Amino acid sequence: MIERTFTISELAAEFGLTPRAIRHYEEQGLVSPRRVGLQRIYTRRDRTRLKLTLRGKRLGLSLTDIRELIDMYDNQPDETPQLLKLVGVLGHRRATLEQQRRDIEEILAEIGAFERQCREILAARK
């Protein structure tokens, strides 16, 4: 049975990426295409790893975290370590986002106070 393969152009079109972005993911060890001359040949495994990479990026995970999680899946038949690692990474990401939300709320409150102060000064000058 012949395994389905993909070119860099096919994957770029499918995922809305540039070939350069896919080559970057290759440099980061997230995909590892086979080479035929200068052409890269991607397998279903590479396609899946690329899909998981993009999902991780949408969650705001670092490429290092994404690679570690994907590599754990490749190397261990039991998903428990991978799931434990993912829970930890997601918890850290959630904490970071919640802190950013608090920071944004504080900044918005400060901006609101400055706006009110400026309007009061302008109203007093009329």
Side-chain angles (χ1 to χ4, degrees):
M1 185 158 134
I2 297 175
E3 182 182 17
R4 167 80 163 100
T5 60
F6 307 87
T7 65
I8 197 168
S9 298
E10 289 172 325
L11 291 178
E14 178 179 354
F15 292 108
L17 299 170
T18 62
R20 182 177 177 170
I22 296 173
R23 286 190 299 272
H24 176 69
Y25 295 144
E26 180 183 347
E27 290 168 5
Q28 298 300 311
L30 293 159
V31 293
S32 52
R34 177 174 92 239
R35 300 276 186 138
V36 176
L38 296 177
Q39 187 177 16
R40 291 169 167 84
I41 306 295
Y42 296 87
T43 62
R44 286 188 182 275
R45 176 183 175 275
D46 291 314
R47 184 183 171 278
T48 299
R49 288 177 65 96
L50 184 56
K51 188 174 185 177
L52 292 171
T53 297
L54 297 176
R55 184 176 296 158
K57 282 185 52 72
R58 275 192 306 278
L59 292 173
L61 304 182
S62 71
L63 292 181
T64 300
D65 285 336
I66 293 167
R67 186 182 60 248
E68 287 175 7
L69 288 164
I70 294 172
D71 287 347
M72 286 177 74
Y73 181 77
D74 281 348
N75 297 326
Q76 299 175 6
D78 178 14
E79 293 178 345
T80 302
Q82 181 191 30
L83 292 172
L84 290 169
K85 169 80 172 169
L86 181 58
V87 166
V89 169
L90 291 175
H92 182 263
R93 180 66 180 142
R94 177 186 298 278
T96 299
L97 289 171
E98 287 173 350
Q99 181 61 53
Q100 288 175 340
R101 181 183 357 195
R102 287 189 295 274
D103 293 345
I104 289 169
E105 288 170 357
E106 287 178 24
I107 292 168
L108 288 172
E110 194 171 336
I111 287 172
F114 283 137
E115 285 176 332
R116 283 188 299 281
Q117 192 176 25
C118 290
R119 285 191 179 98
E120 289 171 3
I121 291 169
L122 289 170
R125 291 185 179 175
K126 286 186 178 180

